[in-house]
Amino acid sequence: MARRALITGITGQDGSYLAEHLLEQGYEVWGLARGQANPRVSRMRKLLSDVQVVRGDLLDQGSLISAVERVQPDEVYNLGAISFVPMSWEQAELTAEVTGMGVLRMLEAIRVCSGVSRGGSNASGQIRFYQASSSEMFGQVSETPQTERTAFHPRSPYGVAKAYGHFLTQNYRESYGMFAVSGILFNHESPRRGAEFVTRKVSLGVARIKLGLATELRLGNLEARRDWGFAGDYVKAMHLMLQAANPEDYVIGTGRMKSVRELVEAAFAAAGLDWERYVVTDQTLHRPAEVDLLCADPKKARAQLGWEPSVSFDELVAMMVESDLRLLSDGADPDDDSWP
């Protein structure tokens, strides 16, 4: 029989790529959604017609128990979150409830449905759980690059909520013997990234300027440095973590940093434009507490999982710009949450 996976956050960037990958692996894939009338679910069905949907909400414990009981998954991937970092200052309580407490509710749903009690063991047939942790947990970094052992110093309500979920996953693994792991993923982007994120804001801005739909692109801190990779590569690491013999946490990234300025230069170059003619820095777009640099040390994932990124930074940026040029040329609305 086909293995069965349940994905929260199925309508987001990572959820869509993960669903595609698991379907290619022969899985039966279920996505958790707050309601069947959700317009993002309708759009998801057009791209992923083989994905089945079950109702559930990370804010509602009972609905998660019902979803796990109905689906009877072999693997659960918890990707659902309030994931736009700037929004986490504006909606700090909601971020804590969804991004932090949502992890607790899903772990409890799995524990209850599996009949796991304290002192349990990693028995075969147990539901395996993946938690989407984030490099934002490192925040004001104590060392570079960051490994699985680097101390956390989150600099946003989002990063704090992710750290709570990360430690909780570790605690359930140690307290109940659950196969529960966290992937500490560094920035991973794609043409499916939401329009509010800086990488997509840049690719859309470049496309609008190239097509004569805009004359400038306003951005915040151009000197912030990140480790950027392709989301389609990173979801494969998620899957590999749940196939390992033992539950362990892994840092996933490229090990190479690029500044926002370098991102901008690459994006405008992909469209044959000079970025300095169009980019305007705006202090109002800076974070209240900035994260200056993040860079992964993915040696453990490379050695133990055999995972390697396949798409380079320049290839990723060009892919996003070309996708947005096609999208806008076709008259589509990039803010409607659809996927190219």
Side-chain angles (χ1 to χ4, degrees):
M1 292 182 63
R3 293 182 64 78
R4 192 174 298 142
L6 173 62
I7 304 172
T8 74
I10 187 71
T11 60
Q13 168 190 258
D14 292 6
S16 68
Y17 280 113
L18 178 60
E20 286 178 331
H21 179 64
L22 293 179
L23 288 169
E24 289 172 359
Q25 302 299 312
Y27 277 68
E28 178 183 317
V29 178
W30 289 73
L32 187 83
R34 288 195 298 272
Q36 302 289 13
N38 185 337
R40 298 185 72 183
V41 173
S42 300
R43 285 189 283 269
M44 180 269 293
R45 288 185 183 279
K46 292 179 183 178
L47 179 66
L48 303 169
S49 58
D50 292 332
V51 171
Q52 302 182 67
V53 177
V54 62
R55 293 188 183 187
D57 192 327
L58 289 173
L59 295 173
D60 178 28
Q61 180 71 77
S63 73
L64 298 181
I65 293 174
S66 296
V68 173
E69 286 182 337
R70 178 182 175 190
V71 176
Q72 294 291 305
D74 299 290
E75 299 168 5
V76 172
Y77 296 85
N78 186 43
L79 312 184
I82 304 293
S83 57
F84 184 47
V85 175
M87 185 186 294
S88 72
W89 277 281
E90 299 171 9
Q91 296 182 293
E93 184 176 352
L94 181 62
T95 298
E97 284 289 345
V98 176
T99 307
M101 289 295 293
V103 183
L104 172 63
R105 296 184 186 104
M106 182 53 78
L107 283 166
E108 271 295 286
I110 293 170
R111 188 187 68 79
V112 169
C113 293
S114 302
V116 175
S117 58
R118 283 183 296 179
S121 61
N122 292 314
S124 60
Q126 182 183 127
I127 297 173
R128 297 190 169 201
F129 175 80
Y130 171 85
Q131 165 59 16
S133 287
S134 168
S135 59
E136 288 286 335
M137 301 185 304
F138 294 120
Q140 186 170 309
V141 297
S142 58
E143 62 180 1
T144 298
Q146 291 87 56
T147 74
E148 292 80 5
R149 295 184 178 277
T150 301
F152 296 151
H153 185 157
R155 299 267 284 171
S156 66
Y158 169 81
V160 172
K162 279 293 186 180
Y164 173 81
H166 179 86
F167 282 125
L168 198 66
T169 301
Q170 176 182 307
N171 184 260
Y172 269 61
R173 181 169 70 227
E174 295 174 353
S175 298
Y176 298 108
M178 293 172 62
F179 196 107
V181 306
S182 292
I184 307 174
L185 270 58
F186 282 63
N187 295 64
H188 47 289
E189 315 298 326
S190 77
R192 298 179 189 175
R193 177 57 96 181
E196 69 273 21
F197 289 83
V198 67
T199 46
R200 188 77 191 288
K201 183 177 181 180
V202 168
S203 64
L204 279 168
V206 169
R208 288 189 176 107
I209 291 169
K210 181 70 173 180
L211 296 172
L213 303 175
T215 59
E216 68 176 24
L217 173 61
R218 304 187 75 84
L219 295 170
N221 182 11
L222 297 183
E223 305 312 319
R225 290 180 289 167
R226 294 291 186 271
D227 183 334
W228 275 302
F230 174 50
D233 286 336
Y234 287 42
V235 299
K236 296 175 183 177
M238 300 176 188
H239 179 236
L240 288 170
M241 288 180 214
L242 293 194
Q243 313 317 305
N246 298 305
E248 296 185 40
D249 303 329
Y250 294 88
V251 160
I252 303 297
T254 70
R256 293 178 292 276
M257 277 190 299
K258 297 287 184 178
S259 67
V260 175
R261 185 183 300 274
E262 289 173 292
L263 166 68
V264 169
E265 290 173 350
F268 276 88
L273 298 171
D274 178 3
W275 73 274
E276 291 184 296
R277 293 179 56 192
Y278 304 102
V279 173
V280 177
T281 56
D282 187 340
Q283 291 294 323
T284 67
L285 298 176
H286 284 231
R287 294 182 180 186
E290 185 58 81
V291 174
D292 295 319
L293 64 91
L294 293 171
C295 185
D297 181 349
K299 290 190 184 73
K300 180 180 175 183
R302 186 182 302 123
Q304 297 187 16
L305 301 177
W307 179 83
E308 292 277 2
S310 66
V311 177
S312 71
F313 174 78
D314 288 336
E315 289 170 336
L316 170 64
V317 174
M319 176 200 307
M320 294 180 68
V321 171
E322 290 164 8
S323 175
D324 282 328
L325 281 168
R326 289 193 301 270
L327 184 73
L328 295 179
S329 295
D330 292 340
D333 180 3
D335 296 318
D336 70 354
D337 287 328
S338 62
W339 293 326

